[in-house]
Amino acid sequence: MPATTLAQKIIGRAAGRSAPSAPSAVAGPVVTPGEVVTARVDLAMIHDSGGPRRVEPILRELGVGLWDRDRVVLISDHFVPGDTEEGAGILALTRAWAAENGVAFHDGEGICHVVLPERGHLAPGMFVVGGDSHSPTGGAFGAYMFGIGATEMAGVLATGEIWLRVPGTILIEWQGRLGPGLMAKDMMLALCGRLGMDGGQYQAVEYTGPAIAALTMQERMTLSNMAAELGAQVGLIAPDRVTAAYIEAAGGQPGAWQGLVTDPGAALAAHHRFDASSLAPQVAAPHSPANAGPACEAGAAVDVAYIGACTGAKYADLAAAAGILQGRRPAPGITLLVAPASRRDQDRAAREGIMGVFEAAGARILPNACGICAGYGADRLEAGITCISSTARNFKGRMGDPSAQVWLGSPLTVAASAVAGRITDPREMMGAA
Amino acid sequence: MGRIFRLGDDIDTDQLAPGRYMRGGIAALAAHCLETVRPDFARIVQPGDILVAGRNFGMGSSREQAAEALRYLGLAGVVALSFAGIFYRNAINLGLPVLTASDVAAVEDGAAATLDPVAGALRLAGGAAIVLDPLPENLRAIIDAGGLVPFLKARFASAATP
Ligand code: SF4
């Protein structure tokens, strides 16, 4: 069997190429980068913004229903809590559609990319599409998951199929180990700075190396999530025991994951090597994640510190930020906002005293939803505000007024910056700098 | 016969569908298509004309309007050395022929030509032809139908009448 990449293995299986009856010499998923194949979709995830309100008119035009309601998961997050008239209307439509179509529906339970694996919907080797640009998050579980627009999603919901061009693999290898004060977010901002927002070339990025293996599942999700900012189609991480343990705890079935790796000697589109041990906390200046540089050199004064989004408000992110905020308060005049990425993560954080730390620090706790990251609700950044944010994107005007200045950093950096009132290397508050 | 518009590398979605005109609907948006590289483009382009570009055509955002604007203007298709991934998806799904070629150096701006996506050829008026990589069968079916939605419509209509 030829040496193949993880991406080739999953796509090959989904495209029906891994003929089990073929002689062993040619058995295995032989799809070649550049080739266009049609693949069967194992699962389709949609949310309130790009989901029912956009796909239902197309399904109606086609005159068909869902190809398999058991393979569709709907999650409300972009317009939760429905604090605008438009948002309330969209949520009502979403709920009615869910009831009518009988799909799995997680309503107001958190952000789709976090809720999907948390409820055991993902497993290694699955071929999954999501109606959202951060769908690569699922790659952390060894699933080939990518984002598509509403028209294509309607096609998937009607047929269970989608075409794709088999990507090459860009292997991003992280040697060493993250030091104290460093998080997966710092790795991603560094990568955005080094490779640029089109460095991923719509290929399959795969993260590998000892620094990746040492990360928790939620930290790995941050890496896969921001494969979107690299312009990759997916951000894969080969499954291991950490993956399997997470899925089992979530009530899912990890299945046979052991062979799901990129074989040594498989042809790669590129192979980048980085050292996690020498990385310093990173921030990205307005208005692009690619404007990355060391946090200690930024120095900008901030008005708002935002711990939110699928990228930066999971349990692991909340726990990290609370470590800084324990016994500290934001500098005078600084607004600290915390929007835990899921209700489950918030409940766990509450049990462990983490939410108590935020409350003691005077933080405003926002709903388990996209919130200011999507900028669709009543809470938005006002004109002239400078914000340090644990989210993935700082495009002009995304989180509010176009004059707002958004810096990106890890949850640790956001917490430390809130305390100092200016962008700060969190190691200054950890006795490690 | 259409006319060839020659473009360089890295034509991005903001050049094809400028963000500041996104709210005005596709007709208003298409009127500004490519104006930053060819100010007169939207005014002089005729149905059947062909874009011939370099590497990474359609890079940038995932906005479908980039391909939609070209469809709206009646372009017969785009030939390029390579396409950005999401633009390529959007173009196929909107029924805009997008074809790669390994060499377009011989194609001159303003030349008359016809695009034959089925045979995989760009036929120049003088008789010469540029060889294009053929579209895979599954994508050609979508292009022939005029895009993903019409393709699926036809598929479900024929399934309903056995
Ligand atoms: S939290 Fe932000 S990045 Fe994540 S899905 Fe919501 S809008 Fe997108």
Side-chain angles (χ1 to χ4, degrees):
Chain A
M1 189 167 141
T4 53
T5 63
L6 174 55
Q8 281 173 287
K9 288 185 173 125
I10 302 174
I11 296 168
R13 199 262 315 147
R17 291 293 181 77
S18 43
S21 57
S24 62
V26 296
V30 269
V31 290
T32 321
E35 173 187 8
V36 173
V37 298
T38 298
R40 299 289 310 167
V41 170
D42 295 312
L43 187 74
M45 179 193 78
I46 51 178
H47 58 49
D48 51 349
S49 181
R53 70 175 176 140
R54 295 219 195 276
V55 298
E56 179 58 27
I58 302 173
L59 289 173
R60 221 175 291 137
E61 190 183 340
L62 297 175
V64 287
L66 302 181
W67 105 96
D68 184 349
R69 68 155 81 147
D70 295 332
R71 292 183 182 276
V72 179
V73 177
L74 170 63
I75 299 170
S76 62
D77 55 8
H78 278 61
F79 288 97
V80 171
D83 54 4
T84 62
E85 199 182 317
E86 186 198 17
I90 290 167
L91 286 177
L93 181 154
T94 304
R95 288 171 186 140
W97 190 88
E100 201 176 302
N101 287 276
V103 300
F105 180 34
H106 302 289
D107 189 13
E109 293 173 8
I111 302 164
C112 58
H113 307 298
V114 178
V115 171
L116 192 72
E118 174 189 281
R119 304 301 165 116
H121 290 297
L122 290 180
M126 285 172 75
F127 185 90
V128 187
V129 295
D132 188 272
S133 62
H134 284 99
S135 298
T137 311
F141 299 85
Y144 196 96
M145 181 164 181
F146 62 107
I148 56 176
T151 309
E152 290 210 271
M153 182 56 84
V156 168
L157 295 182
T159 65
E161 292 177 358
I162 191 164
W163 66 268
L164 80 160
R165 186 183 280 275
V166 179
T169 288
I170 299 175
L171 202 63
I172 298 184
E173 185 176 336
W174 282 89
Q175 293 294 335
R177 210 177 162 134
L178 284 178
L182 274 294
M183 298 186 74
K185 179 66 172 286
D186 298 300
M187 300 167 109
M188 282 318 298
L189 291 177
L191 287 176
C192 289
R194 288 283 289 279
L195 304 177
M197 288 197 71
D198 53 1
Q201 294 287 313
Y202 208 54
Q203 305 294 300
V205 155
E206 182 179 339
Y207 305 102
T208 184
I212 307 298
L215 294 176
T216 64
M217 226 33 245
Q218 287 199 330
E219 278 282 86
R220 295 180 190 185
M221 286 164 69
T222 304
L223 297 179
S224 297
N225 177 278
M226 286 189 69
E229 276 59 48
L230 292 175
Q233 186 176 44
V234 291
L236 302 174
I237 298 175
D240 60 12
R241 276 178 220 287
V242 175
T243 324
Y246 178 102
I247 291 169
E248 270 161 19
Q253 301 282 340
W257 52 268
Q258 280 82 353
L260 288 167
V261 292
T262 289
D263 301 322
L268 300 172
H271 188 169
H272 302 290
R273 293 178 182 81
F274 298 92
D275 177 25
S277 306
S278 61
L279 190 66
Q282 301 283 306
V283 290
H287 298 282
S288 166
N291 293 341
C296 59
E297 289 172 14
V302 299
D303 308 298
V304 173
Y306 185 61
I307 296 171
C310 52
T311 319
K314 302 177 290 299
Y315 165 79
D317 303 310
L318 301 174
I324 296 275
L325 289 164
Q326 176 85 54
R328 293 190 174 101
R329 284 187 70 87
I334 307 294
T335 305
L336 174 62
L337 301 171
V338 181
S342 81
R343 199 181 67 211
R344 274 203 190 163
D345 278 2
Q346 179 168 350
D347 288 348
R348 180 174 171 198
R351 282 196 304 276
E352 297 180 8
I354 290 166
M355 296 311 295
V357 170
F358 293 130
E359 280 152 29
R364 222 178 108 211
I365 310 297
L366 302 175
N368 308 127
C370 295
I372 301 177
C373 181
Y376 289 173
D379 279 314
R380 291 167 61 80
L381 296 181
E382 284 163 27
I385 291 287
T386 298
C387 173
I388 175 87
S389 173
S390 67
T391 54
R393 283 182 182 159
N394 56 349
F395 302 151
K396 196 178 188 128
R398 174 181 170 93
M399 294 172 70
D401 194 272
S403 68
Q405 303 286 313
V406 179
W407 292 73
L408 304 176
S410 78
L412 282 174
T413 301
V414 173
S417 304
V419 171
R422 57 174 176 81
I423 294 176
T424 298
D425 184 330
R427 294 177 300 184
E428 286 177 26
M429 294 184 191
M430 301 174 73
Chain B
M1 278 274 156
R3 168 196 169 145
I4 303 261
F5 287 89
R6 272 300 259 127
L7 300 164
D9 293 342
D10 297 328
I11 295 296
D12 67 38
T13 50
D14 218 53
Q15 291 166 330
L16 294 164
R20 62 189 175 284
Y21 303 112
M22 291 277 281
R23 293 199 175 267
I26 192 64
L29 185 63
H32 299 280
C33 181
L34 288 171
E35 71 180 3
T36 50
V37 275
R38 291 286 291 255
D40 56 349
F41 175 73
R43 224 168 357 95
I44 62 174
V45 67
Q46 298 287 327
D49 287 354
I50 303 150
L51 296 185
V52 178
R55 294 194 186 286
N56 211 14
F57 185 93
M59 64 175 276
S61 82
S62 58
R63 67 184 69 144
E64 286 186 348
Q65 289 90 334
E68 211 182 335
L70 297 177
R71 267 280 269 174
Y72 180 84
L73 293 170
L75 270 293
V78 185
V79 173
L81 295 178
S82 66
F83 290 93
I86 295 180
F87 175 85
Y88 188 83
R89 287 203 82 83
N90 290 338
I92 296 288
N93 290 327
L94 289 167
L96 175 74
V98 278
L99 295 124
T100 49
S102 52
D103 187 2
V104 293
V107 184
E108 280 174 24
D109 188 66
T114 44
L115 184 63
D116 185 345
V118 176
L122 178 65
R123 297 185 212 289
L124 301 171
I130 304 290
V131 181
L132 309 176
D133 305 318
L135 271 184
E137 188 107 21
N138 46 357
L139 299 195
R140 211 163 72 203
I142 298 174
I143 291 284
D144 287 348
L148 181 63
V149 172
F151 168 78
L152 291 174
K153 244 187 194 164
R155 172 170 156 178
F156 286 115
S158 63
T161 46

